[in-house]
Amino acid sequence: MNKAKKYQVVEELTAEFTKDTNIYVCDYKGSTHKELESLRNAVREAGGKVRVVKNNLAKLALANNGIETSFEENNIFIWGEDQITLAKLVVKHATDHKDAFKVKSAVIEGEVKDAEYVIEVSKLPTKDELLGMVAYMMKAPLTKFAFGLQNLIEKKSEEE
């Protein structure tokens, strides 16, 4: 890769890492092309992006955004806006392919986090799941009230 191409990659990543604040760094050594392609497809469906980048170029792109970190060995970078969904995808892929893929770290809203943080975030419900829980909680009292009214109507009709 020539110098101009490296500058272009750093500029692209700087722009991407500014816009999308959730970046997951994973070790993919030993993963097959098919496994990585399934991860890429799942991340794309979730609105994220996946890219294998040289460590120095990613480090420069993050440094341009005021984030100091260092990387070792082979890394694949996964980023997007939806923190929890991407964390769930990354952790699920890591558990499905334990020998070939592991979560190393993450940059969440400008802060470097470790793999344990990513695992804990993956256990949280997504926005859609939370909305479903709220809807259910709002529906439950109304349902109980309706059953109570129905029972009252039936009781009154039996008395008459």
Side-chain angles (χ1 to χ4, degrees):
M1 188 181 307
N2 63 20
K3 211 171 196 178
K5 181 69 175 167
K6 289 179 183 178
Y7 280 122
Q8 180 184 0
V9 169
V10 170
E11 287 177 14
E12 289 172 8
L13 289 176
T14 300
E16 289 291 329
F17 291 169
T18 300
K19 182 177 63 175
D20 301 320
T21 57
N22 305 300
I23 306 161
Y24 298 92
V25 182
C26 302
D27 182 2
Y28 69 98
K29 188 178 6 178
S31 295
T32 65
H33 176 74
K34 189 175 182 178
E35 293 169 351
L36 290 177
E37 196 60 35
S38 70
L39 175 66
R40 281 188 174 100
N41 291 335
V43 170
R44 269 191 224 121
E45 287 176 15
K49 296 182 181 181
V50 178
R51 190 165 180 182
V52 176
V53 183
K54 290 188 174 194
N55 291 338
N56 287 336
L57 300 181
K59 183 179 175 181
L60 287 171
L62 288 169
N64 288 344
N65 289 312
I67 302 164
E68 296 299 322
T69 188
S70 63
F71 304 111
E72 296 175 3
E73 298 180 358
N74 298 332
N75 293 309
I76 189 166
F77 295 86
I78 301 163
W79 69 92
E81 293 179 12
D82 191 351
Q83 175 184 359
I84 295 173
T85 302
L86 289 178
K88 285 180 183 286
L89 287 172
V90 168
V91 170
K92 182 181 182 315
H93 192 78
T95 55
D96 292 347
H97 305 92
K98 289 181 183 178
D99 297 335
F101 191 87
K102 74 175 189 176
V103 180
K104 286 180 154 182
S105 64
V107 178
I108 308 295
E109 297 176 2
E111 294 182 29
V112 179
K113 305 289 185 178
D114 60 357
E116 288 79 28
Y117 179 86
V118 176
I119 292 168
E120 290 301 317
V121 165
S122 72
K123 294 175 184 175
L124 295 173
T126 63
K127 182 180 178 182
D128 291 338
E129 292 170 343
L130 282 174
L131 289 174
M133 288 179 200
V134 168
Y136 177 77
M137 290 172 61
M138 291 175 70
K139 180 185 143 193
L142 293 175
T143 304
K144 289 179 182 179
F145 180 71
F147 281 129
L149 283 178
Q150 183 64 31
N151 289 339
L152 183 64
I153 292 170
E154 289 174 3
K155 186 176 181 181
K156 290 286 185 182
S157 64
E158 288 175 5
E159 289 177 0
E160 292 177 1

